[in-house]
Amino acid sequence: MKSALRNAYYFTLSRYSLNPNPSLLQIAPFISTFPSLPSVLSRNHPFRSPLCATLMAGGDYDSPQTSPSLEKQFEKFRVQLEDSGSLRERIRAVVLEIESATRLMQASLLLVHQSKPIPEVLQKANSQINVLKGLYNKLAEVVRECPGQYYRYHGDWRSETQMVVSLLAFMHWLETGNLLMHTEAEEKLGLNNSDFALDLEDYLVGVCFMSNEMPRYVVNQVTAGDYDCPRKVLKFLTDLHAAFRMLNLRNDFLRKKFDSMKYDLRRVEEVYYDVKIRGLATTGDSVGDQGAQKI
């Protein structure tokens, strides 16, 4: 029975297909005999939801209103975000000034690789320390406006502080031959307050940055005829590397910077070895030999 109806359907369609534009009046009587088939006329009347029909008929529809508690909460969020954005912009403005002072200090210290007199180089670089100290005091005043939020905004000046510490540590080593201590770095930058202090990891990363500068300094000093410099730097980096090994560092950025220190140590050791086998090292370099044995 179904096959017979199907055949009759296709036969009738084939009859009307001779007319490229059959009218609905011609096809409608045939379609009405097959209630299971989709109606062509229904395509001209798409389905409308009751809500759509109500709106099209001009009816009123009341939209749900926001609850007072929800609106109050997000209004509070809006105020907090605007205040945070304003504070971050002020912090960034001070950080830009810190970057500018740091670049001037770094440009002055680069002259040490050209065999310039160290006192002359340090005098020019030291002139920026007071500038940095004033800028960090200004930054501390801005951060204190939001108590207890130090580490929320700490990332805005972290990298700049690490670079400042590395430059101060390098300058301190050129003057004394020793490592700049954490408390000394805080004193130079005026960061003695508990609510705005020098972060420990920033200090350690800055020290690691300073060690990256040592191999270049050694090579340039040897080129200039200072054959005792590799021994001094080797002793210093050996003690510094041994001190870092006392720390249980996580697998993060600080750990990666510490791992780079051993490559700095190896490069200095190679320079010292070359000076040693050529007989250019001065007498009394047993300290350097002991440092090379510890590596």
Side-chain angles (χ1 to χ4, degrees):
M1 181 62 182
K2 292 182 178 180
S3 62
L5 292 174
R6 189 182 301 109
N7 293 333
Y9 170 69
Y10 287 118
F11 173 74
T12 304
L13 289 180
S14 66
R15 288 177 58 194
Y16 288 107
S17 64
L18 297 176
N19 185 2
N21 298 310
S23 64
L24 293 177
L25 296 176
Q26 292 175 329
I27 302 177
F30 172 75
I31 295 176
S32 62
T33 61
F34 297 95
S36 61
L37 297 175
S39 174
V40 178
L41 298 176
S42 63
R43 297 178 182 175
N44 297 327
H45 302 282
F47 172 76
R48 295 187 179 92
S49 65
L51 174 61
C52 181
T54 303
L55 294 176
M56 292 182 65
D60 295 332
Y61 176 72
D62 295 332
S63 60
Q65 296 182 354
T66 306
S67 63
S69 60
L70 186 61
E71 184 176 356
K72 182 178 179 181
Q73 173 181 264
F74 276 84
E75 176 64 19
K76 181 180 178 181
F77 290 164
R78 183 188 66 81
V79 174
Q80 290 178 351
L81 291 176
E82 289 181 356
D83 292 342
S84 177
S86 177
L87 184 64
R88 197 178 294 275
E89 290 178 0
R90 295 171 57 193
I91 290 174
R92 188 56 188 167
V94 179
V95 171
L96 290 177
E97 297 183 50
I98 294 176
E99 288 180 356
S100 178
T102 303
R103 285 194 297 268
L104 293 176
M105 180 183 291
Q106 190 174 17
S108 300
L109 283 178
L110 287 176
L111 298 176
V112 78
H113 298 296
Q114 301 177 6
S115 301
K116 296 286 184 179
I118 292 180
E120 178 182 346
V121 173
L122 293 178
Q123 181 180 3
K124 202 170 185 180
N126 283 327
S127 62
Q128 296 300 321
I129 294 181
N130 290 331
V131 177
L132 288 172
K133 187 174 182 179
L135 291 174
Y136 272 100
N137 289 332
K138 183 178 178 181
L139 181 61
E141 293 177 359
V142 175
V143 176
R144 288 193 189 100
E145 295 181 7
C146 192
Q149 300 293 326
Y150 174 86
Y151 284 103
R152 179 181 180 181
Y153 303 101
H154 173 240
D156 293 336
W157 65 83
R158 175 188 293 143
S159 59
E160 289 78 12
T161 302
Q162 292 170 355
M163 180 57 65
V164 169
V165 171
S166 69
L167 296 177
L168 293 178
F170 187 48
M171 293 167 56
H172 186 79
W173 183 84
L174 291 174
E175 291 177 340
T176 65
N178 299 318
L179 177 67
L180 177 70
M181 297 301 175
H182 181 264
T183 54
E184 294 174 337
E186 285 186 322
E187 184 178 356
K188 286 180 178 293
L189 297 176
L191 303 178
N192 298 323
N193 296 323
S194 58
D195 56 344
F196 194 93
L198 177 60
D199 185 74
L200 179 59
E201 290 193 8
D202 291 346
Y203 167 77
L204 293 175
V205 172
V207 172
C208 292
F209 283 155
M210 183 266 295
S211 72
N212 299 151
E213 196 71 19
M214 288 301 189
R216 180 187 178 188
Y217 176 74
V218 168
V219 172
N220 291 327
Q221 289 298 110
V222 170
T223 304
D226 185 3
Y227 302 119
D228 192 43
C229 181
R231 178 186 65 83
K232 296 178 181 178
V233 175
L234 180 60
K235 172 65 169 56
F236 172 74
L237 287 182
T238 301
D239 294 341
L240 182 61
H241 185 266
F244 262 88
R245 292 183 66 88
M246 297 171 60
L247 305 177
N248 184 17
L249 301 177
R250 302 184 302 272
N251 189 20
D252 55 4
F253 182 72
L254 177 57
R255 175 73 190 195
K256 294 178 182 178
K257 295 310 300 180
F258 165 65
D259 291 338
S260 68
M261 189 183 298
K262 64 182 179 182
Y263 299 106
D264 301 329
L265 192 57
R266 184 177 301 174
R267 290 174 59 189
V268 174
E269 181 189 17
E270 291 174 354
V271 175
Y272 175 73
Y273 176 76
D274 290 341
V275 172
K276 181 77 172 176
I277 63 174
R278 285 172 173 79
L280 300 175
T282 59
T283 59
D285 54 357
S286 59
V287 177
D289 296 336
Q290 293 175 1
Q293 294 174 1
K294 292 180 182 179
I295 300 176

